[in-house]
Amino acid sequence: MDKTWTQDLLDFLDRSPTCYHAVAELAAKLTAAGYRPLQEQESWTLTPGQGYFVVRGQASLAAFRVPEGPWRGFAIAAAHSDSPTFKVREEAEVSGAGKTMRLSVEPYGGGIYRSWLDRPLSVAGRVLVRTAAGVEPRLVNVDRDLLVIPSVAIHMDRSVNKGTALDPAVDLLPLLGMEDKGAFRRLIAAAAGVEEADLVTTDLFLYPRMRGTCVGAAGELLCAPRLDDLQCVYGCLQGFLAAGTGQSMPVLCVFHNEEVGSGTWQGADSTFLTDVLSRAAAALGRTGEAYQTSVAESFLVSADNAHAVHPAHPEYADKQEFPVLNGGVVVKYNANQHYTTDALSDAVFRELCRRAEVPVQRYSNRADLPGGSTLGNISTAHLSIPSVDIGLPQLAMHSCCEVAGVRDTEALARVMTAYFAAGIRRLPGGGMALASN
C-alpha cells in the first residue's frame, strides 16, 4: 500500500470520529465519484450505468451501481460504521468533588475501558435542532482537546497494576473542567451553529483525539482509533469504486449498531438491505419470481476485522489457524456458525483472492475460547444467500487505539475489486461459478 493511499485511509479515520461522520464521508466520496443520492420516501427511477446510494438514520449507507448490460444477481459487501465508545447522556453535566464538572456517559459496545484513561478526548455526533421547517439533524464535532478521564494515582490504589476494575458509573466519567453550569450545552450549541434554545436533543459520543499514524521500524503498522471496522469499510469502498462492469449488480452496505447487536432500524437486523435490493430490482422491472432468481444468484461478503495472533499472548490463538499482521485478508470460520463461512463460500472467496493475487489467511477461535459474531449471519437471516465472513488482522480490538498492518488494506481493496467486477452464478449441483468481465 503506497504512502498516498495509507494517508488517505488515516485521513478517513480522522474525519470519522463517529458513525455519522463516517457515513457523511462515504456519501461525499460516492458523490465525488458520480453516484447520486436516493431518498427512501420517494419513488426511484434508475438509469443503466449509473451509481446510487441511500442513507438511513445518518449512520447506515447502501450504494449500488446499475449494470449497463444483462446481470444475474447481487454482489454484496457489508461492513459496519460504529465502534465501541461512550454515549453522552442528555443531562450531561455532573458536579464532582473539588468544584469540578464531569459528563455523564454510558458505555456503547464492549470497549477496553482502561484504554480511554489519561488521554485527550472530545465529543462528536449529531444534534437535532429546531428550524422553521421542522426538526433538522446536524453533525457536530468539538474539534479540540476537551475532556480527560484521569486515573486514580497509584499512591491511592496500590493494586492498580494488578487489574483494578473500572466502574463505568464512577470511574469513567470524563472531566470537563471546573464547575460552570451550562458550559457543555453552550459548547454543543456553538458547534452546531445554533442558539441554545433551538437545541432539541443530541446523539453525542466520546472519541480519542489522537490521529492515526504509522509505527514500526519500517512504518509497516497502523496505530489508530476505529480500525474496527472503518478499515474494512475503506477497503471495501475502494474495491467498489475501482471495479469494472461485471455480471452482478455491485452493492456496498455499511450498517450502524453492529457493536450493540444490530437490532435497530438501521442495523443489519433490519430490512434496510432487503428494502434497497427489492426496490432497485423493481425499478429495473425485476419483481416477483424475477427478483427471487436474482437473489438466488447473489453472494455476501461480510467484512469485519479479525484477531491477529498477539505477540505477548500467542496462547489465546488457535495453534493452527491464526492470522498475522500484514499477512493478507482473513477468512473467518466457526463450527457453530457465529461466522457464516462454509466450504462453498470459502472456496468462492479463495478463488477471488487467487485471481487478485492477494494473500489469504484463515482464522478460527481457540476451541475453548468462544468469540463474537458479525453482521453476516444477521444479514443472511433476512436475505438467504451464501456468505463468507472475512476481515483484516488487528491487535487491541475494541481499544480506543488499535493496531493493524499497513499492507492488508490494499489486499482487501484488490480482492474486493475482483469481487465486484466478477459475476457469480449457481450451478445445478450446489456449486458456484465465477465469471470475469
Side-chain angles (χ1 to χ4, degrees):
M1 188 172 182
D2 64 41
K3 292 182 179 180
T4 301
W5 204 6
T6 301
Q7 189 57 55
D8 190 49
L9 168 61
L10 294 176
D11 288 344
F12 172 64
L13 294 169
D14 189 54
R15 291 193 297 265
S16 304
T18 71
C19 55
Y20 305 110
H21 293 81
V23 166
E25 282 294 310
L26 293 175
K29 288 179 180 292
L30 288 163
T31 300
Y35 285 69
R36 298 175 184 170
L38 296 170
Q39 303 298 323
E40 289 193 89
Q41 68 274 21
E42 298 174 356
S43 297
W44 294 1
T45 300
L46 306 180
T47 302
Q50 178 61 50
Y52 301 90
F53 67 91
V54 187
V55 174
R56 179 179 285 188
Q58 289 186 277
S60 294
L61 178 146
F64 61 92
R65 188 166 57 251
V66 180
E68 295 187 72
W71 56 283
R72 293 179 175 276
F74 303 98
I76 309 164
H80 65 89
S81 62
D82 59 324
S83 300
T85 179
F86 295 86
K87 190 176 191 299
V88 181
R89 287 179 164 164
E90 194 68 22
E91 297 296 326
E93 295 183 346
V94 177
S95 295
K99 298 182 180 180
T100 57
M101 184 71 74
R102 299 193 295 168
L103 296 184
S104 178
V105 298
E106 182 177 357
Y108 175 91
I112 300 176
Y113 292 160
R114 66 177 182 270
S115 68
W116 289 82
L117 302 180
D118 306 321
R119 63 172 69 225
L121 308 172
S122 194
V123 295
R126 69 172 180 177
V127 299
L128 278 297
V129 300
R130 188 178 295 105
T131 69
V135 178
E136 175 185 298
R138 293 188 186 178
L139 295 186
V140 296
N141 179 10
V142 182
D143 191 11
R144 66 178 178 88
D145 298 344
L146 179 68
L147 306 163
V148 66
I149 305 174
S151 297
V152 174
I154 193 169
H155 312 78
M156 300 171 185
D157 181 6
R158 295 290 181 178
S159 64
V160 64
N161 290 326
K162 297 179 181 179
T164 298
L166 297 173
D167 184 338
V170 177
D171 301 303
L172 298 174
L173 276 59
L175 179 64
L176 177 64
M178 304 310 292
E179 193 167 32
D180 180 8
K181 195 68 175 175
F184 183 69
R185 190 173 178 84
R186 291 195 298 272
L187 279 170
I188 299 305
V194 299
E195 298 295 327
E196 284 185 65
D198 293 326
L199 189 60
V200 180
T201 189
T202 65
D203 280 320
L204 298 173
F205 297 88
L206 301 189
Y207 75 93
R209 289 287 294 164
M210 71 164 289
R211 284 183 58 90
T213 187
C214 292
V215 300
E220 70 271 36
L221 302 177
L222 292 172
C223 183
R226 300 177 295 281
L227 289 171
D228 173 21
D229 188 33
L230 294 186
Q231 187 183 18
C232 280
V233 170
Y234 179 86
C236 288
L237 174 69
Q238 294 302 319
F240 179 76
L241 293 176
T245 302
Q247 296 183 17
S248 298
M249 178 185 288
V251 181
L252 173 64
C253 200
V254 179
F255 291 109
H256 185 23
N257 298 130
E258 191 274 344
E259 298 292 358
V260 293
S262 298
T264 62
W265 75 302
Q266 59 211 349
D269 201 12
S270 73
T271 61
F272 184 38
L273 177 57
T274 52
D275 287 347
V276 171
L277 298 185
S278 61
R279 290 189 66 179
L284 298 170
R286 293 196 184 189
T287 58
E289 187 176 19
Y291 171 66
Q292 293 300 324
T293 57
S294 297
V295 170
E297 293 207 283
S298 298
F299 194 87
L300 171 66
V301 174
S302 170
D304 197 355
N305 274 1
H307 300 290
V309 61
H310 196 284
H313 291 283
E315 70 275 13
Y316 292 141
D318 181 83
K319 292 185 182 300
Q320 298 296 117
E321 298 183 351
F322 58 86
V324 299
L325 300 176
N326 286 314
V329 180
V330 179
V331 176
K332 299 192 284 188
Y333 218 106
N334 180 265
N336 292 313
Q337 288 294 285
H338 292 159
Y339 304 131
T340 58
T341 311
D342 60 16
L344 175 63
S345 61
D346 189 2
V348 170
F349 189 77
R350 284 177 182 274
E351 175 60 16
L352 286 166
C353 289
R354 187 190 67 80
R355 292 186 180 188
E357 299 182 340
V358 164
V360 60
Q361 310 181 76
R362 186 179 173 103
Y363 171 78
S364 293
N365 295 309
R366 208 178 79 176
D368 58 346
L369 288 177
S373 60
T374 70
L375 52 81
N377 46 17
I378 297 172
S379 298
T380 54
H382 295 271
L383 190 71
S384 300
I385 60 176
S387 173
V388 62
D389 264 289
I390 69 162
L392 298 177
Q394 73 165 86
L395 299 171
M397 187 177 290
H398 287 197
S399 171
C400 78
C401 179
E402 300 169 321
V403 177
V406 166
R407 293 193 297 274
D408 292 328
T409 315
E410 181 182 9
L412 176 59
R414 283 168 52 195
V415 71
M416 295 311 294
T417 300
Y419 170 62
F420 286 123
I424 296 177
R425 61 186 177 91
R426 287 276 185 95
L427 300 177
M432 303 191 82
L434 286 170
S436 300
N437 290 349

